[in-house]
Amino acid sequence: DDAAAVVLRIDTPGGRLDAVLRMRDALLASRVETIAFVDRTAFSAGALVALAADEIYMTPGAVMGAATPVDGATGETADEKTVSAVRTTFAATAEARGRDPLVAEAMVDPAVAIDGLVARGELLTLTANEAAARGYAEGIVDGLPELLAATG
């Protein structure tokens, strides 16, 4: 409908892997500019939605990451095969949007270490300031009016 852009307001603890993979694919294929607006939390599946957008903006105090897949029935960390698939999907999504894939991998797999950001054995969750410093957010805005002004 001749939209200039689509803004995705994200505040979620996560969701189902099958659903977020469809969302990711739709965002990557979109001919309309997509802007993720992380309004507090983009954990797990929410982080992948944000990464698939063309641009990411966050509110002060917002966080993004903590994306290790878990078994929906038990709540335990998913098997190695699933973790590997999700880690690679996060990395490929980051690459497609010009972001550092290692940062995306560290959101999924605590075995991924990044000097000065996250140690091996820790799972990465970025604050708004860390995301902006690492190229994972174009900016930090106070709310939707400020986001619309910042993005034109």
Side-chain angles (χ1 to χ4, degrees):
D1 293 332
D2 297 322
V6 174
V7 174
L8 308 153
R9 182 177 230 152
I10 303 171
D11 185 7
T12 182
R16 291 178 31 172
L17 183 57
D18 60 335
V20 77
L21 291 175
R22 287 193 304 273
M23 294 166 74
R24 169 199 178 261
D25 291 346
L27 289 165
L28 290 176
S30 177
R31 289 178 282 148
V32 175
E33 181 181 3
T34 55
I35 302 166
F37 175 44
V38 180
D39 191 9
R40 296 292 164 225
T41 59
F43 294 135
S44 201
L48 186 58
V49 170
L51 292 180
D54 292 309
E55 297 180 32
I56 301 171
Y57 286 82
M58 299 174 76
T59 58
V63 290
M64 173 173 56
T68 297
V70 296
D71 182 297
T74 66
E76 297 294 320
T77 299
D79 60 66
E80 185 177 334
K81 178 180 177 181
T82 302
V83 171
S84 175
V86 173
R87 180 182 62 239
T88 304
T89 299
F90 266 65
T93 304
E95 283 180 349
R97 293 300 190 214
R99 298 182 182 103
D100 182 351
L102 192 60
V103 172
E105 289 183 45
M107 291 180 180
V108 177
D109 190 344
V112 177
I114 301 172
D115 286 340
L117 188 61
V118 65
R120 183 172 308 280
E122 297 177 357
L123 194 59
L124 179 61
T125 301
L126 296 171
T127 66
N129 288 332
E130 289 170 333
R134 290 282 177 161
Y136 265 68
E138 278 64 37
I140 300 171
V141 295
D142 288 328
L144 189 57
E146 293 81 7
L147 170 72
L148 296 175
T151 59

